Amino acid sequence: MVLVLVGLWVGQNVQLLPVDASSNAPVYDSLFQVLFSIGTILFIGIVGLVVFSLVRFRRRPGDLADGVAIEGNLPLEIVWTAIPAIVVLFVGIYSYDIYERMGGMVSLNDHSAMHHSAAVMQASNSSGPASPGSDTASSEPRVWAGIGSSGNTEGTLPVEVTAMQFAFIFHYPDGDITSGELHVPINQPVELRMKANDVIHAFWVPQFRLKQDVIPGQPTVLSFTATRAGSYPIICAELCGPYHGGMRSTVVVHEEDAYNQWFEKNAPAKPTPATVANVSLNPTA
Ligand SMILES: [Cu+2]
């Protein structure tokens, strides 16, 4: 009983993970806490029993006799088979449940399933404000795997991600912005449509608790909703060549106003009717 309570306490108070900055993070962290509790109980229980036995049953001076011959113990064998089986089964089912709640089991070729999953996540997450002029109805690439709680697909900000040796390039189809850094608004679903130019890379943001492979010839998707303003590292998590360790970028989560300012500043200036008229009147210019 004491062992279980200590394990639960350690699991609830463990501070090993970085700050949580996406709506996925609390779901992931609850699984981590349960695994850490189980690990603590097993570690203290097993190491404690070994240390206790080493001390309690050590050879005394002058004792040269053999140990007691023990042969088989059916109840004990049933117990030490059943307990790990139950623990492993529980961890497996719980992990699957968490992965499914994060959208990991959704086949993105099946759009009805995708919208169903979005509706399920919507029930537990409050949706963010819609972005100005975002439209996900444009020709979507055939994708093989996706992960993340994208929330409502209507207000989703699409960003195209290209991974190459040794950089990530971000393109915003809505504003035709190309950037070496990912800028996103807080509390709005973002859908990263990812492709690789050369070898397999992986897009990982520890503070979002999300990672997705980026595979040549096989588009993948990663959806998330950022919940905490700040700058977080994007790390390539797949050994992709000699400078893999330097393949990093930054995701900047802005408050809504600051994001709109960034968007306005970086969107290429559209030719106004006046400048177009000037050009056509002045062919030599
Ligand atoms: Cu890489």
Side-chain angles (χ1 to χ4, degrees), residues 5-62:
L5 288 176
V6 168
L8 289 176
W9 184 84
V10 170
Q12 291 301 313
N13 291 282
V14 64
Q15 301 289 343
L16 292 175
L17 293 170
V19 68
D20 60 321
S22 88
S23 57
N24 277 297
V27 182
Y28 178 97
D29 291 2
S30 63
L31 173 64
F32 182 80
Q33 287 178 346
V34 168
L35 294 182
F36 211 90
S37 288
I38 293 173
T40 304
I41 292 166
L42 290 177
F43 179 79
I44 296 178
I46 292 169
V47 172
L49 199 63
V50 167
V51 170
F52 170 80
S53 301
L54 283 173
V55 175
R56 176 74 177 72
F57 304 111
R58 69 188 186 279
R59 189 178 69 83
R60 311 292 159 139

Side-chain angles (χ1 to χ4, degrees), residues 80-160:
W80 77 38
T81 305
I83 290 178
I86 291 168
V87 169
V88 168
L89 214 61
F90 167 76
V91 168
I93 292 170
Y94 188 39
S95 303
Y96 181 94
D97 177 53
I98 296 284
Y99 191 57
E100 193 178 26
R101 279 157 66 186
M102 288 169 68
M105 303 312 292
V106 176
S107 160
L108 290 185
N109 290 323
D110 180 356
H111 280 250
S112 64
M114 188 168 142
H115 288 282
H116 170 71
S117 162
V120 169
M121 286 307 295
Q122 199 65 13
S124 54
N125 288 327
S126 61
S127 72
S131 74
S134 79
D135 179 17
T136 54
S138 56
S139 62
E140 287 174 64
R142 197 178 61 81
V143 288
W144 166 67
I147 193 170
S149 59
S150 61
N152 193 344
T153 46
E154 299 305 312
T156 300
L157 171 71
V159 182
E160 293 159 9

Side-chain angles (χ1 to χ4, degrees), residues 144-180:
W144 166 67
I147 193 170
S149 59
S150 61
N152 193 344
T153 46
E154 299 305 312
T156 300
L157 171 71
V159 182
E160 293 159 9
V161 181
T162 305
M164 65 192 74
Q165 290 171 316
F166 296 92
F168 292 104
I169 306 291
F170 303 97
H171 181 249
Y172 295 69
D174 287 345
D176 197 24
I177 299 171
T178 300
S179 170

Side-chain angles (χ1 to χ4, degrees), residues 166 200-202 236 238 240 244 247:
F166 296 92
I200 300 176
H201 303 272
C236 178
E238 193 76 61
C240 61
H244 158 72
M247 185 166 166

